[in-house]
Amino acid sequence: MHEIIYMKTDYEPWWMFDGWEKSVVSRHEFTSAKEAMGFLETLKQDFSYRFPEHEQRNQAFYCYWNEEEVEYCDKCEEDLQVFHGLIWLVDGKSSTSY
């Protein structure tokens, strides 16, 4: 099973810190890599228009942000960058080839 995940949090998606699932905005499941790739490409194009900054780690992690989009962290007592992450999982795990 292929899964495309959109998460919004204060760290890049490739870190997948404990509890990262709490930051998931949406999940979409696909039976084939071709379907997942088509959906992911549509999201990447949309996010590229909406967010001027981006970074990719292998074929599983994509991160988008806007320098002005920050959230105040009470615990840290400072503003933290907001990141919009896309993750491609295969059978629940990130992979570098599809």
Side-chain angles (χ1 to χ4, degrees):
M1 174 187 69
H2 296 267
E3 190 173 17
I4 304 298
I5 297 170
Y6 165 42
M7 63 184 287
K8 181 179 173 184
T9 189
D10 60 2
Y11 56 86
E12 295 91 342
W14 43 83
W15 294 111
M16 295 180 86
F17 293 126
D18 286 338
W20 70 269
E21 295 90 347
K22 295 175 187 172
S23 300
V24 170
V25 175
S26 65
R27 293 176 178 262
H28 298 272
E29 296 179 357
F30 303 90
T31 56
S32 75
K34 184 177 179 180
E35 290 174 317
M37 184 176 292
F39 183 76
L40 179 61
E41 288 302 320
T42 300
L43 286 178
K44 286 170 43 182
Q45 186 175 32
D46 176 49
F47 280 39
S48 292
Y49 287 125
R50 294 172 39 205
F51 305 105
E53 307 295 332
H54 59 86
E55 188 174 337
Q56 175 181 339
R57 296 277 171 103
N58 58 54
Q59 293 182 11
F61 301 100
Y62 304 84
C63 187
Y64 299 85
W65 69 96
N66 178 340
E67 295 287 338
E68 291 79 36
E69 186 179 10
V70 294
E71 289 183 354
Y72 186 75
C73 172
D74 290 325
K75 186 177 179 181
C76 311
E77 296 184 347
E78 67 178 318
D79 288 333
L80 299 178
Q81 181 66 55
V82 174
F83 295 101
H84 300 268
L86 300 174
I87 303 173
W88 185 349
L89 299 179
V90 178
D91 296 326
K93 298 181 182 194
S94 63
S95 178
T96 58
S97 62
Y98 300 99

